[in-house]
Amino acid sequence: MSDPINLLNKRGSTKNYDAPDSSNSVGWTQPQHLRLADDNDPLPLKCGINFAPIDVEYETYGRLNEERSNAILILHALSGDAHVAGWDSKADEYKRPWRKTRPGWWDNMVGPGKAFDTNKYFIICSNVLGSCYGTTGPSSVDPATGKPYGLRFPVVTVGDWVRLQCRLIEHLGIEKLLAVAGGSLGGQQALEWTLAYPERVGSAIILASSTHLSDLGLAFNAVARHAILNDRNFKDGNYYGDEVPDKGLSIARMLGHITYLSEESMEKKFTRKYIRGDKPKFHLGIDFEVEGYLHYQGQAFVERFDANSYLYITKAMDYYDAASWGNGDIDSACKRTKSRFLLVSFSSDWLYTPQQTRELALSLYRAKKPVSYINIQSSYGHDAFLLEGEKLKELITSFLDGGIVKDEDTA
Amino acid sequence: MSDPINLLNKRGSTKNYDAPDSSNSVGWTQPQHLRLADDNDPLPLKCGINFAPIDVEYETYGRLNEERSNAILILHALSGDAHVAGWDSKADEYKRPWRKTRPGWWDNMVGPGKAFDTNKYFIICSNVLGSCYGTTGPSSVDPATGKPYGLRFPVVTVGDWVRLQCRLIEHLGIEKLLAVAGGSLGGQQALEWTLAYPERVGSAIILASSTHLSDLGLAFNAVARHAILNDRNFKDGNYYGDEVPDKGLSIARMLGHITYLSEESMEKKFTRKYIRGDKPKFHLGIDFEVEGYLHYQGQAFVERFDANSYLYITKAMDYYDAASWGNGDIDSACKRTKSRFLLVSFSSDWLYTPQQTRELALSLYRAKKPVSYINIQSSYGHDAFLLEGEKLKELITSFLDGGIVKDEDTA
């Protein structure tokens, strides 16, 4: 095993990552592409449009066994991509320079010997429809016009994403997934899989997620979209090849980061510290560390994300309501599933609260489905599903090995 | 007593207000103006500048008694003004049309027989320095240039505001205030009064407030200012007489409203209801009631507030830290005060949390000051200090009558 990579990021802090030649890493990865809908076989969308063409970017790690029974589909969240683990060998080719300084977004959870052990499981993740990381989205060229779709792109839903993912799974020759797993919006996709394709999912691991976004969550997304739509450079979404609506998108991202942290984690991280010195500078610019952090996050995001994709993906997030499988009744919806469930919430998460996850757990209980619900004590807020690797590893390993983990709050 | 005024607002809902001829109302009011700093006697600001001229807009209700011992100074919050109660008789003259459809911002608390009983007390409120409601601010004309100050306006602090208010009190011939009272940023001014002028304050009523804003609060203000500063119309603050940075200011206000509500109040108010019908419209525009509410609030605000004032006032809010009176130690700072205190927090307030108010109470206890701390169970979030009139009336009446109210959570 090689030494961990110790990378200095732009903000001057270091993080330890498993190097590509480490025995803990899936190593060098490369994105794969597949056309999953064309004019002869378009994807029927919830909005009523039959949409094509659709190309999907995905990655896989580990090996599919002969019985094709060890496949786990991982679902990414709002700003995520198919690059879950390891180091992207095509970062230069695809002009994704940020991937050169860090591994995939769940590298701490996916790899040899990790929670999602690539020595045992065949791991799949695909970028969602409407995103900007290789799967068809608003920045893709519309063959009908030869120009990027922009707002001519259809409004997509979590259900649409899952139906597209199902085509990928079929293409890979997998009839039934051993498990689906995701956090946040990824958790909602995992839930949707168990309801849309009950025969095709053995187990579901749903982290920091729920059946629907709260009104508070809707409110944040509304302000984020308002900021993008009103950016001077937005131009009805036709900004490609020109100045992009970076101000609006950075506001959206700053807001997002507020919701990913918790009051407690903010206080631990920043404690009203001034960026330089310990006194007000008596100006209207940035004084406090928390301001500097948010500005940095906003700026970094506009270098890697498309504003139109942010609009479409947050809309899918807003619209999702698992209860629609039961005509508005979640208990009834839950009767459809044939999966076993591991639900995990995090005590300080206020975007998808423990209470919301618990309500899903209770609906599954009432529907007599095997479900384990754990609320992990964590100060990390919503981000905990990415950061609490140690605690999650124990739970996920045990759950995938067939165990029902204990039912309530754990340390 | 006349019937209450039943006004239909733009959003189609009605509210009951005491009509100007009601025996519960202070009636028709009019703003008063006073020059409180000129070149011979400028106001020394914390930033180091000696600033003049300063004109202040204020209102008073009730009568100052012969002993001049019944004066209560009310302090307003971020977007407030001197018009605390009653109906503005000068709304047309001063081009403040929004005041024609509603009384002052604390009309439910200030008037004959109300918590702040104008039959007994002489009530004063002045607009803060840097605001846009009659007191000198960035939209005022700089005599040196003949143009509005814009960003040439100096950065002001809560301490500056209180020093200016002290000049007003002196002008009114009041040596000692019976009480100071305010919620949110107004509560911080009340606290500052007790520390800056211990001899001049008998009692302090501090609602939904604390010694300093949390990192979470700093984060929201940072995004709000970022939105204003990056509005295409902002032009370094020189937008007067031209298109104003309404998009940025509306984003700031939408964010503000998120922090004034609570998850619970949002859920009660909106419950993911669609604006029309009960289905997604599959577009990128407004679908949910909570979105419509925030857009309305954002739009209404730009018609009545100045973006530069929003920058300056949120900066004052960020900078405020009562512990600076004790060189960073709040316990030590609290030893200065000679007031008695009523501190009230609201259980669902996440902008100034009950925990923060409680910490101030504990510091005052340790400094052996008479303090009553009450956490009111309320689902209204931070807005509760404006809405929980019934519960507050009982506490405030008892406190002003000299009683020490019970020490802990009340119903």
Side-chain angles (χ1 to χ4, degrees):
Chain A
M1 187 168 102
S2 64
D3 288 336
I5 290 189
N6 195 299
L7 284 167
L8 190 71
N9 71 18
K10 287 188 199 167
R11 303 193 66 240
S13 59
T14 55
K15 271 192 180 176
N16 288 327
Y17 299 118
D18 292 320
D21 58 348
S22 155
S23 61
N24 293 323
S25 175
V26 302
W28 291 104
T29 65
Q30 61 176 49
Q32 301 177 66
H33 294 95
L34 195 63
R35 178 150 295 190
L36 285 174
D38 58 24
D39 288 342
N40 295 323
D41 186 22
L43 187 75
L45 301 178
K46 184 78 178 166
C47 67
I49 291 171
N50 289 313
F51 192 61
I54 301 173
D55 296 309
V56 168
E57 175 166 322
Y58 68 102
E59 294 194 9
T60 67
Y61 323 111
R63 282 175 176 277
L64 187 60
N65 62 15
E66 280 190 21
E67 301 80 20
R68 299 172 180 269
S69 63
N70 69 333
I72 296 178
L73 179 67
I74 287 179
L75 295 320
H76 71 72
L78 207 175
S79 61
D81 53 29
H83 183 48
V84 178
W87 295 81
D88 185 2
S89 63
K90 305 284 184 182
D92 281 328
E93 187 177 324
Y94 287 96
K95 298 193 176 66
R96 294 163 176 168
W98 60 89
R99 288 195 182 172
K100 295 166 80 172
T101 57
R102 56 173 186 262
W105 56 269
W106 228 7
D107 191 75
N108 59 333
M109 296 286 286
V110 175
K114 295 182 179 174
F116 297 98
D117 187 348
T118 49
N119 289 331
K120 295 166 72 173
Y121 306 117
F122 179 62
I123 306 292
I124 310 156
C125 183
S126 65
N127 185 221
V128 299
L129 183 65
S131 182
C132 50
Y133 291 128
T135 292
T136 303
S139 58
S140 305
V141 171
D142 178 356
T145 65
K147 293 178 188 167
Y149 283 99
L151 299 193
R152 291 183 305 276
F153 198 78
V155 169
V156 292
T157 66
V158 170
D160 297 333
W161 293 345
V162 166
R163 258 172 287 118
L164 182 61
Q165 287 153 4
C166 191
R167 290 191 177 194
L168 173 63
I169 298 309
E170 283 175 350
H171 168 86
L172 296 173
I174 298 159
E175 198 171 313
K176 184 173 181 175
L177 291 160
L178 178 69
V180 291
S184 191
L185 184 54
Q188 296 189 310
Q189 293 169 67
L191 176 59
E192 178 69 7
W193 260 96
T194 71
L195 299 170
Y197 300 106
E199 309 290 345
R200 286 177 172 275
V201 182
S203 299
I205 297 170
I206 297 172
L207 314 174
S209 193
S210 74
T211 59
H212 61 268
L213 191 61
S214 66
D215 287 282
L216 183 61
L218 293 177
F220 278 109
N221 280 346
V223 182
R225 283 195 302 270
H226 182 76
I228 292 169
L229 292 166
N230 285 288
D231 186 295
R232 65 184 305 173
N233 296 331
F234 184 68
K235 296 169 192 154
D236 292 325
N238 296 314
Y239 52 76
Y240 298 108
D242 202 348
E243 284 184 279
V244 300
D246 53 351
K247 304 299 185 192
L249 184 59
S250 72
I251 291 169
R253 183 60 166 180
M254 290 165 84
L255 276 184
H257 269 277
I258 292 178
T259 66
Y260 306 152
L261 300 174
S262 70
E263 201 202 341
E264 191 182 345
S265 64
M266 277 204 184
E267 186 132 347
K268 275 189 191 173
K269 207 177 172 88
F270 307 114
T271 52
R272 282 181 62 88
K273 278 197 294 287
Y274 286 94
I275 285 184
R276 277 175 295 275
D278 58 357
K279 285 193 169 59
K281 283 192 270 304
F282 297 112
H283 67 167
L284 297 175
I286 296 174
D287 274 282
F288 293 96
E289 284 201 356
V290 62
E291 298 179 83
Y293 172 83
L294 291 174
H295 277 82
Y296 169 80
Q297 295 294 349
Q299 200 45 49
F301 195 59
V302 302
E303 289 164 19
R304 74 169 181 89
F305 212 82
D306 177 44
N308 281 331
S309 286
Y310 205 87
L311 298 176
Y312 281 91
I313 297 177
T314 54
K315 263 294 174 182
M317 193 173 171
D318 285 6
Y319 283 151
Y320 188 64
D321 189 352
S324 65
W325 283 104
N327 289 318
D329 177 37
I330 185 64
D331 283 11
S332 165
C334 285
K335 287 181 187 146
R336 296 177 57 85
T337 175
K338 299 186 176 175
S339 307
R340 47 197 284 279
F341 288 83
L342 172 63
L343 306 185
V344 181
S345 60
F346 301 91
S347 59
S348 59
D349 184 352
W350 55 288
L351 186 56
Y352 290 99
T353 65
Q355 181 56 28
Q356 290 176 285
T357 311
R358 187 187 305 259
E359 279 166 17
L360 171 57
L362 289 173
S363 290
L364 289 164
Y365 278 130
R366 285 191 291 266
K368 303 193 193 328
K369 306 298 172 182
V371 52
S372 299
Y373 164 62
I374 290 93
N375 180 44
I376 291 182
Q377 291 300 317
S378 170
S379 67
Y380 286 127
H382 188 62
D383 264 351
F385 86 89
L386 297 167
L387 299 171
E388 292 285 11
E390 290 296 311
K391 291 172 183 169
L392 285 173
K393 185 185 173 182
E394 192 185 345
L395 294 173
I396 290 172
T397 305
S398 159
F399 178 73
L400 288 176
D401 285 348
I404 294 285
V405 290
K406 54 195 160 145
D407 266 0
E408 265 302 325
D409 299 84
T410 184
Chain B
M1 188 168 96
S2 64
D3 287 336
I5 292 188
N6 197 298
L7 285 167
L8 192 70
N9 72 18
K10 287 187 200 167
R11 302 194 64 241
S13 58
T14 56
K15 270 192 178 175
N16 288 327
Y17 299 117
D18 293 322
D21 59 347
S22 154
S23 60
N24 293 323
S25 175
V26 302
W28 291 105
T29 65
Q30 62 176 50
Q32 301 177 67
H33 294 93
L34 197 62
R35 177 150 296 189
L36 286 174
D38 58 24
D39 288 344
N40 295 322
D41 185 22
L43 187 76
L45 301 179
K46 183 79 179 168
C47 66
I49 291 172
N50 290 313
F51 192 61
I54 301 174
D55 296 309
V56 168
E57 176 167 322
Y58 69 101
E59 295 194 9
T60 68
Y61 324 111
R63 281 174 176 279
L64 188 61
N65 62 16
E66 281 191 19
E67 301 79 19
R68 299 172 181 270
S69 64
N70 68 333
I72 297 178
L73 178 66
I74 286 179
L75 295 320
H76 70 73
L78 206 174
S79 61
D81 53 30
H83 184 48
V84 178
W87 295 81
D88 185 2
S89 64
K90 304 285 186 183
D92 281 328
E93 187 176 325
Y94 287 96
K95 298 195 176 67
R96 293 163 175 168
W98 60 89
R99 288 196 181 170
K100 296 165 79 172
T101 57
R102 57 174 186 262
W105 56 269
W106 228 7
D107 192 75
N108 59 333
M109 297 286 286
V110 176
K114 295 183 180 175
F116 296 97
D117 187 347
T118 50
N119 290 330
K120 296 166 71 175
Y121 306 118
F122 179 62
I123 306 291
I124 311 157
C125 183
S126 65
N127 185 222
V128 299
L129 182 64
S131 182
C132 50
Y133 292 128
T135 293
T136 303
S139 59
S140 305
V141 171
D142 178 356
T145 65
K147 293 177 188 167
Y149 284 99
L151 299 193
R152 290 183 306 276
F153 198 78
V155 169
V156 293
T157 66
V158 170
D160 297 333
W161 293 345
V162 165
R163 258 174 286 118
L164 182 60
Q165 287 153 5
C166 191
R167 290 191 176 193
L168 173 63
I169 298 309
E170 284 175 351
H171 168 86
L172 295 173
I174 298 159
E175 198 170 312
K176 183 173 181 175
L177 291 161
L178 178 69
V180 293
S184 190
L185 184 55
Q188 295 188 309
Q189 292 169 66
L191 177 59
E192 178 68 7
W193 260 96
T194 71
L195 299 170
Y197 299 107
E199 310 290 345
R200 287 179 173 274
V201 182
S203 299
I205 297 170
I206 296 173
L207 314 175
S209 192
S210 74
T211 59
H212 61 267
L213 191 62
S214 67
D215 288 282
L216 183 60
L218 294 177
F220 278 109
N221 280 347
V223 182
R225 282 194 302 270
H226 182 77
I228 292 170
L229 292 167
N230 286 289
D231 186 294
R232 65 184 304 174
N233 296 330
F234 184 67
K235 297 169 192 154
D236 291 324
N238 296 315
Y239 51 76
Y240 298 108
D242 201 349
E243 283 183 279
V244 300
D246 54 349
K247 304 300 184 194
L249 184 59
S250 73
I251 291 169
R253 183 61 166 180
M254 290 165 84
L255 275 184
H257 269 276
I258 292 178
T259 67
Y260 306 152
L261 300 174
S262 70
E263 200 202 340
E264 192 182 343
S265 65
M266 275 203 185
E267 184 132 350
K268 274 189 190 172
K269 208 176 170 87
F270 306 115
T271 51
R272 282 181 61 90
K273 277 198 293 288
Y274 286 93
I275 285 183
R276 277 175 295 275
D278 59 357
K279 285 192 169 59
K281 282 193 272 304
F282 296 112
H283 66 168
L284 297 176
I286 297 175
D287 275 281
F288 293 96
E289 284 200 357
V290 63
E291 297 180 83
Y293 171 84
L294 291 174
H295 278 81
Y296 169 80
Q297 296 293 349
Q299 199 46 49
F301 194 60
V302 302
E303 289 165 20
R304 74 169 181 91
F305 212 81
D306 177 45
N308 280 332
S309 286
Y310 204 87
L311 298 176
Y312 281 90
I313 298 177
T314 54
K315 262 293 173 183
M317 192 173 172
D318 285 6
Y319 283 151
Y320 189 64
D321 188 353
S324 65
W325 284 103
N327 289 319
D329 177 38
I330 184 66
D331 284 12
S332 165
C334 285
K335 287 180 187 146
R336 296 178 57 85
T337 175
K338 299 185 174 174
S339 308
R340 46 197 286 279
F341 288 82
L342 172 61
L343 306 186
V344 181
S345 61
F346 300 90
S347 59
S348 59
D349 184 352
W350 56 288
L351 186 56
Y352 289 99
T353 65
Q355 180 58 27
Q356 290 176 286
T357 312
R358 186 187 306 259
E359 279 166 16
L360 170 57
L362 290 173
S363 290
L364 289 163
Y365 277 129
R366 285 191 291 265
K368 303 194 193 325
K369 306 298 172 184
V371 52
S372 299
Y373 165 61
I374 291 93
N375 180 43
I376 291 181
Q377 292 299 318
S378 170
S379 67
Y380 286 127
H382 187 62
D383 264 351
F385 86 88
L386 297 168
L387 299 172
E388 291 284 11
E390 290 297 312
K391 292 171 183 170
L392 286 172
K393 184 185 173 182
E394 192 185 345
L395 294 172
I396 290 171
T397 305
S398 158
F399 178 75
L400 288 175
D401 286 347
I404 294 285
V405 291
K406 53 194 160 147
D407 267 359
E408 266 301 325
D409 300 81
T410 184

